[in-house]
Amino acid sequence: MCGIVGYTGHREAVPVLIDGLRRLEYRGYDSAGIVVPENGGLVLEKRAGTLDVLEQALSNSRFPATSGIGHTRWATHGAPTDVNAHPHTDCGGRFAVVHNGIIENYRQLRNWLKAEGHVFKSDTDTEVLPHLIEHYYRDDLYQAVRRALEQIEGSFAVLTLVTTEPGRLIVARRDSPLVVGLGEGENFIASDIPALLTYTRDTYLLNDGEMAEVTPDFIKVSDLNGNPVHKEIFCVNWECEQAEKGGYEHFMLKEIHEQPRALRDTLRGRIDQDGRRVVLKELNVDPDTVRNLKKIFITACGTAFHAGVVGKYIIEKMTRIPVEVDIASEFRYRDPLINPGDLVVVVSQSGETADTRAALREARRRGAHVIAITNVVGSSVAREADDVLYTWAGPEIAVASTKAYITQLAAFYLLALWLAGERGTLPDDEREAILHALREIDTGVSTLLADADQIAALAQRYKDQHGLFFIGRGLDFAVAMEGSLKLKEISYIHAEAYPAGELKHGTLALITEGVPVIALATQPDLFEKALSNVKEVKARGAEVVALTFEGHHDIEDLGDHLVYLPATHPVLAPILAVVPLQLFAYYAAIARGCSVDKPRNLAKSVTVE
Ligand code: M6R
């Protein structure tokens, strides 16, 4: 996620902006920039790379300006380059904008503005904003920004300034955070509280659909229609480190709680207006290739591989194309039987995992069309693949992957539904029903997050166990694999995921009195089978935590503990079922005093074989 800072007051603005950006560095970024109004024009400096590179570029000059805006960018539209870095400006170099979020309709707006004579410099979605503001400006930045934002579909936190009104910043938000910091004769704006803490603890937390006019001496908050809004001061009592984690104790917990937002971002702009079809403009696979597809391969490592296992189940179910899913370190050496025209999907949060990159190259060498599902714009897999489906989860800092996984799942649902739509393999009403449920899945995740205490209590109960089992069938087994990995990597409790029907072929020998078994039973067609496996382990003394949708009374009688998922289309159950498992791993690790965000022996990005 990008970082935003703004300042208007009596100090030199540039050092305040740089200090604020430094405090947002922990979030990850690929470029940075600032702009200040000076001598009737704008001084703009922006660089790909670290803040040090930007500071170096600024080091030979002093800027007396006492207002300005700055940004650290995590690339979404357009590669991480100097030109694509924020701030962005209009044709005349009078208006400057920094923006977090995604402008869904930027292509239409850009085409319209170009036809009006505007000249664009970058590949970003953001650049439409300064041009729109230029278009609407009639000596009042507030009104111009309001009019511009009326045209925007998507999410935004924006800061804007104009050379003719120095000291006056207009800011606004929808679906992206923005905080105004209150000072004496000076005011601050930031996307995140840590950027403000050096200067103030008094803030206005802007809500969705609010904007503000900020000068050194006053802050006027309104809604996006211009109606005044009264704000209460929120006094921040967090310390800096806590603030970096958004008030959460760990990045992992913060990232788990970001999942509803992350899912909305993954789906944004990829389902048509009437909710009937998936639109993946970023894919360049020609219709004939899609119609003639004989085989799909999915390859990845770790959690991304587990997302791929869900991908296999749903793509096969919806498209009837055979799918093979492989761990990348196996795929690259197993001489896979890929034919030209096959599709290979590589999945990688970081886009830098060595084995996944090697698998990608192997697939291309054999003539496959490669689609990368990744989170990091401009990463190696994004550059080397034929097409990229970005997950838009934002930077993931905890080693244990959570929001990246859930958005990889969302990307797979989009891909499967898109393929099914192109090939006509799923009845329209079925496809629409799944899409309808997918659009609402974020609320189901929020409901589960609100019930985290129940999961924390279960984790407390099982924290001293030597081993746990996760069992399930079909999609439930795929999620069980992820639940088991999560628990192992951060709590160091041994866990195994098992296809429930396979227990009796050996592993049942390990099920004895009191052994915890987490049984996933969400799939209607497999429910009776799952139930008989629960009976099997219960008969050997297992303590069963059953994860299911409400209304399954048989399992209610067998499970020692029940975790209910909010109702959704059953094929989407993995997106919900993983949430309690992530929370379970997190709270078990906390209860055992483990280093949650940086577990032993593990690195966030595995760039060596
Ligand atoms: O960046 P990638 O998605 O390629 O990373 C793959 C795995 O290294 C990663 O998912 C790993 O398994 C995580 N620690 C799981 O939480």
Side-chain angles (χ1 to χ4, degrees), residues 300-305 347-353 356 399-402 408 482 485-486 489 602-606:
C301 301
T303 285
F305 166 75
V347 194
S348 174
Q349 186 285 129
S350 61
E352 301 297 343
T353 301
T356 310
V399 165
S401 185
T402 53
Q408 286 160 359
E482 176 58 7
L485 175 65
K486 227 55 332 156
E489 75 177 318
L602 299 178
K604 181 67 187 158
S605 188
V606 186

